[in-house]
């Protein structure tokens, strides 16, 4: 895993060129309470895209997987999380990529397309509910869940 720092977060990612050489980049954004591994590596999406000739890129959103976590609710907005995705492309020197998002990752991808349309070649949304049609919905429960203590980090009394 590689990492870079953006907006005070250390964000971890995988970046793999296809064996055939340089391929079009595909940025994969995972869902809530998940990681790049659970949504993209384990089910085979990362390998399948890479084997098909694409540059496969997947990262752990802030507060998820191996990326760092904050205890500030304001750090977990779709706009800020979309800026992480755009910053990763900048960090990698990629001007434009295909972007795939699943669930919360689809929402983040949509916000990225709105804030940085020049960086998004195409969008693929998976597991995105009616909220995309009738409104963004309430982001606060997601932010609150990301602020919860990690039970694995506390020792028994």
């Amino acid at each position: 895993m590689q990492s870079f720092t953006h907006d005070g977060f250390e964000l971890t990612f995988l970046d793999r060129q296809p064996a055939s050489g340089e391929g079009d980049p595909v940025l994969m954004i995972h869902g809530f309470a998940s990681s790049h591994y659970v949504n993209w590596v384990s089910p085979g999406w990362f390998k399948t895209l890479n084997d098909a000739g694409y540059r496969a890129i997947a990262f752990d959103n802030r507060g998820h997987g191996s990326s760092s976590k904050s205890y500030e609710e304001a750090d977990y907005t779709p706009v800020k999380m979309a800026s992480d995705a755009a910053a990763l492309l900048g960090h990698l020197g990629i001007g434009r990529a295909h972007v795939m998002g699943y669930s919360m990752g689809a929402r983040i991808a949509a916000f990225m397309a709105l804030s940085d349309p020049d960086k998004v070649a195409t969008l693929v949304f998976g597991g995105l509910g009616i909220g995309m049609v009738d409104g963004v919905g309430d982001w606060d429960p997601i932010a609150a869940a990301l602020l919860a203590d990690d039970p694995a980090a506390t020792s028994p009394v």
Side-chain angles (χ1 to χ4, degrees):
M1 292 286 296
Q2 297 173 283
S3 68
F4 79 110
T5 302
H6 176 254
D7 194 28
F9 287 86
E10 183 178 356
L11 302 169
T12 58
F13 65 94
L14 290 177
D15 176 19
R16 185 170 304 139
Q17 288 281 5
S20 61
E22 291 189 29
D24 284 351
V26 177
L27 175 63
M28 294 167 258
I29 307 174
H30 69 77
F32 177 67
S34 192
S35 68
H36 79 281
Y37 183 81
V38 171
N39 279 166
W40 306 116
V41 175
S42 180
W45 284 102
F46 192 90
K47 181 180 183 326
T48 298
L49 287 166
N50 198 238
D51 288 350
Y54 291 95
R55 179 178 179 179
I57 305 159
F59 75 108
D60 285 343
N61 287 305
R62 56 176 67 192
H64 292 78
S66 298
S67 290
S68 61
K69 181 175 182 171
S70 165
Y71 290 95
E72 298 296 325
E73 186 173 343
D75 285 332
Y76 296 106
T77 67
V79 170
K80 288 188 176 188
M81 294 176 85
S83 77
D84 294 339
L88 174 56
L89 293 180
H91 172 76
L92 296 173
I94 297 170
R96 193 168 167 93
H98 304 288
V99 180
M100 290 177 61
Y102 179 74
S103 190
M104 179 188 76
R107 183 177 286 180
I108 292 168
F111 274 81
M112 180 184 172
L114 291 170
S115 64
D116 294 280
D118 55 315
K119 293 182 187 264
V120 180
T122 59
L123 279 171
V124 177
F125 296 142
L128 186 63
I130 192 68
M132 184 56 88
V133 176
D134 66 9
V136 172
D138 190 4
W139 190 263
D140 293 338
I142 292 174
L146 287 167
L147 296 173
D149 289 333
D150 179 357
T154 59
S155 58
V157 177

